[in-house]
């Protein structure tokens, strides 16, 4: 059996390893678009801070790991076309690779808004190790960096840049930071925290153009008629799945590659995983793209099991985000925005930058968000994913969300009531 995996991120690497465990004799080829050992993009901010070197981003410590388990790695090649009827994947160097089973794990890439000046020197993305090298070579203490976008990627980059002691201005088109991860009350707490750390935050603001010249290397013209000088501009305005090479393949594509509960696409024998896949969503019941590493890892494992002939169903990914912003911890799970006819409980302490909100649907906890310590993260995820009926505990949590840990221990049959803990401490 010839297994071909297009994409060498977490989904692709875990799929290759799982295939080898399930099929000791199969031929496994892993294709990487970059000329580096397979690595995790989530580790790139740590490279920017200097906490780790590039080797710290590698998904496996030893490069010989792939050879040792019998996986061929082809570097610096991109998929350019797919003939599903012939079972052949084309690469950008003209090579064509046959397969019996194919996994598409080509991930995503940054998108930039259609703004004049986006192609100027010093206007960068932060998505690859090559990007990290260039940003690291430019950033010095006191340099003025303008960050366009304050979503998930933008805030991670913000945290890394702040550690380099650069001056930072954040420009976000929506009315709050992390607009797709947190509500207005939580967003205001995060903004206050950032401003207290010296970050200039501009929300509800758009960049009209970027120009060169003047006292600074770059100038950003805003829709407010304000002009912002910058030494460096980093664009973090979202990503889009890499699916262009699938044109004419017959594979169904919507927001991403549509897959079923086995991670198989509309074409038999072709699977998809990670950022590129629009797969089952645990919280909402439909298919969604969840561009996060935990989802990619689980996609890769389950897709590989099914490629090897097993029958393993994927329950669906849970929408979850965790971010640390200059020492402030934030996470959200599931239906954090609430549901129609649902109920919620809320506890806020803006002065201490603490916030908790729990979302209920019927007798179940279906979503949550918290700003503060991460010690309850496993409990929240467990209650949401296990769908344990809350019973009498729902009324208690509606009144006192701080009793979450107590509720978890009692509902899961531990039999002992732990001491009450303050979620907002």
């Amino acid at each position: 059996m010839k297994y071909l995996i297009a994409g060498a991120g977490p989904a692709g690497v875990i799929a290759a390893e799982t295939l080898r465990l399930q099929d000791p004799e199969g031929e496994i080829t892993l294709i990487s678009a970059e000329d580096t050992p397979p690595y995790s993009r989530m580790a790139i901010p740590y490279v920017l801070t200097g906490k780790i070197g590039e080797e710290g981003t590698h998904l496996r410590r030893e490069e010989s790991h792939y050879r040792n388990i019998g996986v061929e790695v082809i570097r610096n090649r991109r998929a350019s076309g797919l003939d599903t009827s012939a079972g052949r994947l084309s690469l950008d160097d003209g090579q064509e690779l046959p397969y019996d089973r194919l996994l598409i794990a080509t991930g995503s890439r940054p998108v930039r808004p259609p703004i004049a000046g986006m192609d100027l020197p010093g206007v960068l993305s932060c998505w690859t190790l090559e990007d990290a090298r260039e940003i690291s070579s430019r950033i010095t203490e006191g340099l003025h960096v303008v960050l366009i976008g304050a979503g998930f990627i933008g805030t991670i980059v913000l945290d890394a840049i702040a550690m380099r002691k650069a001056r930072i201005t954040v420009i976000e088109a929506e009315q709050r930071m992390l607009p797709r991860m947190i509500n207005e009350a939580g967003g205001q707490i995060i903004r206050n925290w950032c401003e207290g750390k010296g970050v200039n935050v501009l929300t509800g603001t758009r960049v009209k153009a970027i120009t060169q010249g003047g006292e600074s290397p770059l100038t950003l013209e805003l829709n407010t008629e304000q002009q912002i000088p910058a030494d460096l501009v980093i664009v973090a305005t979202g990503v889009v799945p890499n699916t262009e090479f699938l044109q004419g393949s017959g594979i169904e594509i919507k927001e991403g590659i549509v897959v079923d509960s086995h991670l198989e696409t509309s074409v038999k024998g072709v699977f998809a995983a990670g950022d590129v896949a629009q797969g089952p969503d645990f919280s909402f019941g439909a298919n969604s793209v969840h561009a996060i590493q935990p989802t990619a890892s689980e996609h890769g494992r389950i897709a590989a099991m099914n490629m090897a002939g097993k029958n393993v169903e994927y329950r669906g990914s849970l929408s979850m985000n965790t971010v640390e912003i200059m020492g402030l911890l934030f996470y959200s799970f599931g239906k954090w925005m609430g549901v129609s006819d649902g109920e919620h409980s809320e506890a806020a302490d803006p002065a201490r930058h603490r916030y908790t909100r729990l979302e209920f649907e019927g007798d179940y906890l279906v979503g949550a968000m918290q700003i503060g310590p991460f010690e309850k993260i496993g409990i929240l995820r467990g209650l949401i994913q296990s769908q344990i009926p809350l019973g009498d505990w729902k009324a208690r949590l509606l009144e006192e969300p701080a009793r979450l840990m107590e509720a978890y221990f009692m509902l899961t049959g531990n039999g002992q009531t732990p001491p009450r803990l303050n979620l907002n401490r």
Side-chain angles (χ1 to χ4, degrees):
M1 182 75 72
K2 291 182 181 292
Y3 301 105
L4 190 58
I5 302 171
V13 167
I14 289 174
E17 294 170 339
T18 304
L19 283 169
R20 177 52 70 223
L21 290 172
Q22 298 299 319
D23 185 352
E25 305 300 326
E27 296 181 25
I28 305 171
T29 302
L30 182 66
I31 302 166
S32 173
E34 298 180 53
D35 192 19
T36 60
Y39 68 90
S40 168
R41 298 197 193 283
M42 293 303 297
I44 287 177
Y46 298 102
V47 175
L48 291 180
T49 64
K51 288 184 176 180
I52 63 173
E54 287 190 15
E55 66 282 354
T57 68
H58 297 171
L59 289 167
R60 299 297 176 259
R61 185 180 300 274
E62 301 295 335
E63 192 172 349
S64 60
H65 167 76
Y66 304 97
R67 182 175 63 253
N68 292 342
I69 64 172
V71 173
E72 180 186 5
V73 180
I74 299 176
R75 287 193 195 176
N76 205 26
R77 295 291 182 271
R78 294 180 181 274
S80 60
L82 177 62
D83 185 341
T84 54
S85 60
R88 302 184 75 85
L89 180 74
S90 300
L91 304 184
D92 56 3
D93 64 349
Q95 186 178 8
E96 292 187 352
L97 300 177
Y99 65 85
D100 296 308
R101 299 285 187 274
L102 170 66
L103 177 65
I104 302 170
T106 47
S108 52
R109 66 183 185 280
V111 292
R112 293 189 172 194
I115 296 171
M118 278 284 163
D119 57 346
L120 290 173
V123 181
L124 309 173
S125 297
C126 186
W127 191 245
T128 66
L129 280 175
E130 184 177 353
D131 294 334
R133 293 181 198 118
E134 184 167 2
I135 293 171
S136 293
S137 70
R138 289 171 175 265
I139 291 185
T140 57
E141 184 173 347
L143 194 81
H144 186 206
V145 179
V146 174
L147 179 63
I148 303 177
F152 178 68
I153 296 171
T155 50
I156 291 175
V157 174
L158 166 63
D159 189 64
I161 296 171
M163 290 187 184
R164 299 287 294 268
K165 299 183 179 180
R167 295 184 296 117
I168 306 170
T169 295
V170 175
I171 300 174
E172 168 57 50
E174 301 295 333
Q175 296 300 318
R176 63 182 182 274
M177 300 177 71
L178 297 169
R180 294 171 181 82
M181 292 170 54
I182 196 168
N183 63 10
E184 184 176 348
Q188 187 61 51
I189 290 174
I190 289 175
R191 175 175 184 155
N192 292 344
W193 174 268
C194 292
E195 291 179 334
K197 297 290 183 178
V199 177
N200 180 27
V201 180
L202 303 175
T203 56
T205 304
R206 297 181 181 272
V207 178
K208 292 169 56 178
I210 304 174
T211 59
Q212 284 181 311
E215 296 182 1
S216 296
L218 298 164
T219 300
L220 290 84
E221 299 177 7
L222 309 182
N223 63 337
T224 59
E225 305 307 321
Q226 185 180 4
Q227 293 189 336
I228 303 291
D231 298 303
L232 183 68
V233 175
I234 299 177
V235 183
T237 50
V239 297
V240 62
N242 291 315
T243 60
E244 289 75 14
F245 71 97
L246 297 174
Q247 184 175 357
S249 67
I251 291 175
E252 183 182 6
I253 301 171
K254 291 182 180 178
E255 289 80 14
I257 300 172
V258 178
V259 294
D260 62 17
S261 61
H262 291 82
L263 283 304
E264 192 168 22
T265 71
S266 58
V267 174
K268 188 173 179 59
V270 180
F271 297 74
D275 293 11
V276 77
Q278 185 176 344
D281 185 312
F282 175 83
S283 294
F284 295 93
N287 277 23
S288 302
V289 176
H290 283 171
I292 57 176
Q293 186 161 317
T295 295
S297 300
E298 188 68 357
H299 274 187
R301 184 184 69 83
I302 291 179
M305 296 284 286
N306 290 305
M307 291 168 72
K310 308 298 180 182
N311 182 17
V312 182
E313 288 205 14
Y314 181 57
R315 289 186 61 200
S317 55
L318 175 66
S319 176
M320 53 183 286
N321 295 284
T322 60
V323 181
E324 180 174 357
I325 309 172
M326 294 182 288
L328 185 67
L329 305 173
F330 161 77
Y331 57 85
S332 62
F333 283 120
K335 298 177 181 178
W336 60 266
M337 71 298 293
V339 297
S340 177
D341 298 324
E343 298 172 90
H344 72 271
S345 61
E346 188 175 45
D349 186 353
R352 299 176 61 238
H353 302 97
R354 296 289 184 265
Y355 182 73
T356 297
R357 182 168 170 129
L358 306 179
E359 299 289 347
F360 303 90
E361 184 173 15
D363 201 28
Y364 302 95
L365 180 69
V366 295
M369 67 180 75
Q370 183 176 6
I371 301 172
F374 269 24
E375 59 191 26
K376 316 299 186 306
I377 192 169
I379 289 173
L380 280 170
R381 182 176 181 179
L383 281 176
I384 293 170
Q385 282 196 297
S386 64
Q387 288 292 274
I388 299 173
L390 298 174
D392 294 341
W393 276 101
K394 177 182 175 181
R396 298 170 190 170
L397 291 174
L398 282 168
E399 184 176 351
E400 298 181 77
R403 299 185 70 179
L404 184 70
M405 182 175 285
E406 185 182 357
Y408 178 80
F409 273 76
M410 297 303 292
L411 290 168
T412 54
N414 179 275
Q416 294 183 354
T417 303
R420 294 191 185 185
L421 298 177
N422 186 354
L423 280 173
N424 292 310
R425 71 180 182 182

